Amino acid sequence: MAAMTPTAPETGTRVDHRPAAPVRSPRRRPRVWRGLVLGLGGAYFLVPLIASFVFTVHTPGQGVSFAAYTELLGAEGFLSSLTLSLGLAAATIALSLLLAVPALVAVRLGAPGCAR
């Protein structure tokens, strides 16, 4: 009980009776930088895509034409190249999963504290 009872100040010591300063919450930074970085990153990826699309469909003196895309589908070797690309993409995904899933299971079962 004595530990819970406040003690009186010793005689001869000064007691400060000023109110405590208000506690300020940390200042929030504006989200302008986040939007600026997102906008610049988006422009970095979208501008070349749009430029290459415009370059392929715009024919000087004739206007817009999708002939390049229609010729591409009928080009010799296109179907075999597309099949090879899709097969390599599927093999890459399968190999990644084949390596990652056992490693993740081993970490989860063998050392549960390391999983987080």
Side-chain angles (χ1 to χ4, degrees):
M1 190 70 153
M4 296 175 60
T5 306
T7 58
E10 296 178 19
T11 55
T13 60
R14 289 181 47 195
V15 177
D16 193 10
H17 292 289
R18 290 183 295 175
V23 177
R24 293 183 180 175
S25 63
R27 189 171 149 222
R28 292 185 60 130
R29 301 175 104 188
R31 296 179 188 228
V32 174
W33 290 109
R34 185 180 299 170
L36 183 68
V37 168
L38 183 64
L40 287 174
Y44 179 79
F45 289 106
L46 290 178
V47 168
L49 286 173
I50 293 170
S52 63
F53 177 74
V54 169
F55 180 75
T56 58
V57 296
H58 180 58
T59 307
Q62 294 179 349
V64 176
S65 171
F66 291 97
Y69 290 106
T70 56
E71 291 172 11
L72 175 70
L73 296 175
E76 181 182 335
F78 174 74
L79 187 59
S80 63
S81 296
L82 180 64
T83 306
L84 177 65
S85 293
L86 292 176
L88 288 173
T92 302
I93 292 170
L95 183 65
S96 298
L97 287 174
L98 204 72
L99 293 172
V101 170
L104 292 172
V105 169
V107 167
R108 182 71 174 166
L109 295 178
C114 294
R116 295 191 201 286

